Amino acid sequence: MSLLDYIDQERLPNHIAIIMDGNGRWATNKGFERGEGHKEGVRAISRVVEAATKASIKYLTLYAFSTENWNRPAEEVNGLMDLMVYAISEETEKLKKNGVRITCIGDMDRLPEYARTALIECIDQTKEGNTLTLNIALSYSSKWELTEAARRIADDVLNGVLNKEDISEETISMYLTTHGIPDPDLLIRTGGEQRISNFLLWQCAYAEFYFTEVYWPDFGEKDLYEAIIDFQGRERRFGKISEQIECNSTGSKPEKEQ
Ligand code: FPP
């Protein structure tokens, strides 16, 4: 019996977000260059996408490169960009075949031209996919995203497109890069740290957090399923008391309360 058999298909997290951490430490511990950890990290992405698809997860967001990661040594940043472009180009056909739709969130304008072009191509090639949406956070940070949203809301109010009085939580969500993607139900962070590092701060208001010591390059199907099973053991109250809870089948917050 596989761990997949222990997952309750009626109470799946609709959206799983992952902070993939520990590539550098994985490599250093083995006496390799940090870049080797990132390469192995790409293999872990492949495994996790396959496992998520098998478990019928609908949305998976991966934190691949944060706004703060631009401050890493140029050699590592360039290596990561090359690796991402290579992985995306290599995987596009397989993603398409498996019905995986790629979307991206983040400040695409900061990406080198060749990386942006490769991404746009992959997004276009996979746009019909309806098995899993694989959302890649690239040059992303929540504070950047919220600042951009505030600017655009201010512009729209000034231009008469939006009334100040009509601004609601739904309005804010609509101006975020994740517009159209449901909020994560489960946030996983690998690599032993227990923080959320400027990732989906607004969207994770009611997410369940799962931290594991496993370095990202070692993370695989078994680890993903363990996290889902742990999630399914939790009671999501959304501010209510136990007796009031009537979870819908995904364990997600009822729509009218989101
Ligand atoms: C965190 O580990 C990982 C990253 C900053 C990069 C993750 C990116 C990839 C695995 C490649 C993504 C590719 C595609 C196609 C999306 P770290 O370097 O911060 O590890 P450390 O904390 O051990 O130093």
Side-chain angles (χ1 to χ4, degrees), residues 11 206-208 229-247 251:
R11 300 185 59 231
Y206 277 102
E208 295 293 327
I229 291 165
D230 186 274
F231 165 85
Q232 293 186 328
R234 301 189 193 183
E235 181 186 65
R236 305 185 76 197
R237 290 194 295 278
F238 304 108
K240 296 182 179 175
I241 64 169
S242 286
E243 289 71 16
Q244 294 174 296
I245 303 304
E246 273 180 61
C247 259

Side-chain angles (χ1 to χ4, degrees), residues 19-28 34 37-45 62-66 69 72 76 79-81 83-89 91 102 119 134-138 189-191 193 195 215-217:
I19 301 177
M20 309 180 286
D21 197 15
N23 291 354
R25 279 165 288 159
W26 179 91
T28 310
R34 290 176 58 82
H38 296 317
K39 280 188 200 156
E40 207 53 44
V42 170
R43 292 190 190 103
I45 293 179
L62 301 178
Y63 204 6
F65 194 86
S66 71
N69 288 153
R72 290 194 176 193
E76 181 165 341
L80 264 170
M81 290 297 143
L83 182 63
M84 281 188 281
V85 170
Y86 176 75
I88 283 167
S89 319
E91 293 288 316
I102 295 286
L119 261 174
L134 175 58
N135 184 35
I136 302 174
L138 254 182
R189 181 175 188 141
T190 64
E193 312 287 0
R195 52 177 173 260
Y215 291 144
W216 178 250

Side-chain angles (χ1 to χ4, degrees), residues 101-134:
R101 174 175 74 120
I102 295 286
T103 57
C104 258
I105 54 171
D107 188 357
M108 296 301 133
D109 291 343
R110 284 188 77 175
L111 296 179
E113 180 71 35
Y114 75 99
R116 202 169 39 244
T117 309
L119 261 174
I120 292 170
E121 173 74 15
C122 182
I123 290 169
D124 187 57
Q125 291 272 315
T126 60
K127 64 176 187 280
E128 308 294 345
N130 59 10
T131 306
L132 169 78
T133 295
L134 175 58

